[in-house]
Amino acid sequence: MLFPDYFFRKADVIVEIFRMLEEFIITDIANRILKTGKIAGTTDRNIWMLEQLGESKTEIMKKLEKHTKMSEKELKKILQDAVLTSWEDDLSTFKQLGIETESPFENKRFMDVIDAEWKKTRGELHNLTMTTIDQSQKDLLEMMNTADIRIVSGTSSYSTEICRILDEYAKKGLEINYPSGTKRTLESAVITCVVTSMNQTTAQLTNRYIIESGLQYVLVSAHYGARVKQKGQPELADHNNWQGKVYKIVGSEPGYPNLRESTGYDIDIN
């Protein structure tokens, strides 16, 4: 397993790759907004804005291709390191139980698990970038319209309005808008995606070790700050109640309740 402190700063390189992409997008948008004052006439301005949206997306997609290759390479390295670290920790437990197991990188079934999780996370990161690009296009259009209305109406000067909009946008940065209405910074979304992937990959492999070794009992780890049940949530949501105990994977017996029934976590041995 992986301990909480293992995840600290593990996603830094990927975050930096996305930060470079974010900087490029913001700079691209800023440059296009700065040109809005040079376009006269409502029809000409509308045509120009549509052209800017198209050109902006084309340029961003070119930059994205380069950054995607960088992030995929780094993601694979991060997952491989996590898998090896987790396996070495599990190995000490297996040795105590007298169970022999090989490195996950030497077992095709284990590699299939790693590859599946890598592809899944790669797709999630790609979705994040596409969502970010779509949102940046909406932001560009909205900011152009806002600047246009205020400048044309005479309520604000061109230089004042453009500086205000760009200053606000630079402070806010790019955000991911989720269907639930939640907003997250791009950095926060990337970190969550990578850390979740590391956890899920190593957990899937640990399950695979358990299944292939024919084990029937598991000890659930415990840690400070475990999730506490909130009002309206089911009892299983209170992790503090069931962590740090031994459970039976199939069925139950006195002193060893069923894992899935007690924790909601299932190890599919079929």
Side-chain angles (χ1 to χ4, degrees), residues 204-215 249 267-270:
Q204 288 296 326
L205 285 174
T206 297
N207 288 350
R208 178 55 55 185
Y209 304 148
I210 290 171
I211 293 169
E212 296 204 356
S213 300
L215 297 176
I249 299 174
I267 298 178
D268 186 5
I269 64 172
N270 297 318

Side-chain angles (χ1 to χ4, degrees), residues 64-131:
L64 174 61
E65 185 177 352
K66 174 184 175 182
H67 285 69
T68 296
K69 292 178 181 178
M70 294 168 59
S71 63
E72 288 182 355
K73 180 179 179 181
E74 185 60 30
L75 174 63
K76 180 165 286 189
K77 180 177 180 298
I78 288 174
L79 291 184
Q80 288 176 340
D81 288 346
V83 164
L84 189 58
T85 300
S86 178
W87 176 70
E88 289 175 347
D89 180 71
D90 289 338
L91 189 60
S92 62
T93 301
F94 285 132
K95 285 182 177 179
Q96 293 177 36
L97 296 174
I99 297 173
E100 295 291 333
T101 184
E102 57 190 339
S103 165
F105 301 122
E106 298 174 358
N107 185 311
K108 184 181 182 303
R109 292 187 298 278
F110 294 162
M111 285 302 299
D112 287 342
V113 172
I114 297 171
D115 189 53
E117 288 296 328
W118 177 73
K119 288 179 178 177
K120 174 186 171 185
T121 308
R122 183 182 63 179
E124 290 175 356
L125 287 177
H126 178 71
N127 288 339
L128 279 181
T129 56
M130 296 309 296
T131 300

Side-chain angles (χ1 to χ4, degrees), residues 153-197:
S153 66
T155 59
S156 181
S157 68
Y158 169 74
S159 58
T160 299
E161 188 60 26
I162 294 301
C163 287
R164 184 188 67 79
I165 291 174
L166 293 181
D167 186 52
E168 289 181 2
Y169 195 56
K171 289 178 180 178
K172 178 176 73 72
L174 299 179
E175 293 181 328
I176 303 295
N177 295 329
Y178 293 90
S180 62
T182 302
K183 289 185 177 181
R184 270 186 174 176
T185 63
L186 181 58
E187 177 179 345
S188 173
V190 170
I191 291 174
T192 299
C193 180
V194 174
V195 170
T196 299
S197 177

